[in-house]
Amino acid sequence: MKLRFAGEKDIPALLDIYGQYIPTSVTFEYELPSQEEFSRRLTSFSAVYPFLTAEEDGNVLGYAYAHRCAERAAYGWGAELSVYLRPEAAGKGLGRRLYRSLIELLRLQGVRTVYGLVTSPNPASEGLHSSLSFRLMGVQQNAGYKNGRWIDLLRFERPIAPYDPEPAPVIPIGQLPPEKVQEILDAF
């Protein structure tokens, strides 16, 4: 199994994986994004943050990415994480591996806190966040409506670096030393 950065050629596989979640309450999207929209998201997120795929024998089994948690400048040192897996890859530690790689890359970039937003109930995602020392911040009750019911949203957080009094700006993922990035991708 190899972790690597996602690219345009991966979009059909990423959409295939994400499409399996559209009928569920795991995502609040009602319709699968178009290839153009997904390409825009990939380009936008990966301009600053890691967008990873897990590949085995040429098949993408899952992906995970980070993005800015809010737009105002003061939020610049936080990132929200997401992970999606093929059903046959779930429950085998792949989500954990992808998250751990994301967290280490984000730490290297200068991110201080990572967040996970989890629709509830979602025992697999709740377990993943708990196993990686995320703390439940709170519950946003009735945050979304899908599949004929109101769905709560759990908000998790995890500090990953010290809160310096004068933090340097977050370094875009493409500006990190390639050898250090590869070392992190290979470690997990």
Side-chain angles (χ1 to χ4, degrees):
M1 174 102 40
K2 174 183 172 185
L3 299 188
R4 61 174 176 76
F5 290 108
E8 289 290 321
K9 69 180 175 39
D10 297 309
I11 290 176
L14 302 179
L15 280 169
D16 185 54
I17 292 167
Y18 190 51
Q20 298 170 69
Y21 292 90
I22 296 298
T24 74
S25 61
V26 168
T27 178
F28 277 173
E29 288 197 84
Y30 281 26
E31 296 180 15
L32 185 65
S34 67
Q35 284 201 349
E36 294 76 22
E37 171 57 21
F38 206 87
S39 175
R40 186 200 63 74
R41 293 177 191 183
L42 172 65
T43 300
S44 174
F45 296 159
S46 62
V48 178
Y49 302 100
F51 197 123
L52 304 178
T53 62
E55 182 181 70
E56 186 171 64
D57 300 325
N59 297 315
V60 176
L61 298 178
Y63 66 96
Y65 62 92
H67 62 88
R68 193 176 173 124
C69 64
E71 291 307 311
R72 303 257 195 286
Y75 293 111
W77 293 270
E80 182 183 330
L81 311 183
S82 295
V83 61
Y84 297 96
L85 306 174
R86 291 197 184 279
E88 64 271 18
K92 299 178 181 174
L94 182 56
R96 183 178 175 82
R97 185 174 173 194
L98 283 162
Y99 249 42
R100 289 177 67 204
S101 295
L102 276 181
I103 290 167
E104 288 308 312
L105 290 168
L106 291 164
R107 186 187 333 265
L108 188 60
Q109 289 181 260
V111 169
R112 299 310 200 275
T113 309
V114 291
Y115 301 93
L117 304 181
V118 178
T119 57
S120 180
N122 185 339
S125 190
E126 292 172 43
L128 172 66
H129 287 86
S130 294
S131 76
L132 290 171
S133 301
F134 280 75
R135 177 184 74 85
L136 179 64
M137 294 168 44
V139 178
Q140 185 177 345
Q141 294 182 350
N142 302 314
Y145 182 84
K146 189 171 180 187
N147 298 330
R149 66 184 181 93
W150 289 100
I151 302 164
D152 293 346
L153 188 63
L154 307 179
R155 295 181 173 270
F156 290 91
E157 73 174 350
R158 178 181 166 189
I160 62 170
Y163 297 98
D164 304 331
E166 295 293 328
V170 169
I171 302 166
I173 191 70
Q175 293 179 19
L176 294 178
E179 64 281 354
K180 188 66 177 164
V181 169
Q182 193 59 53
E183 181 181 311
I184 290 169
L185 294 176
D186 291 343
F188 297 102

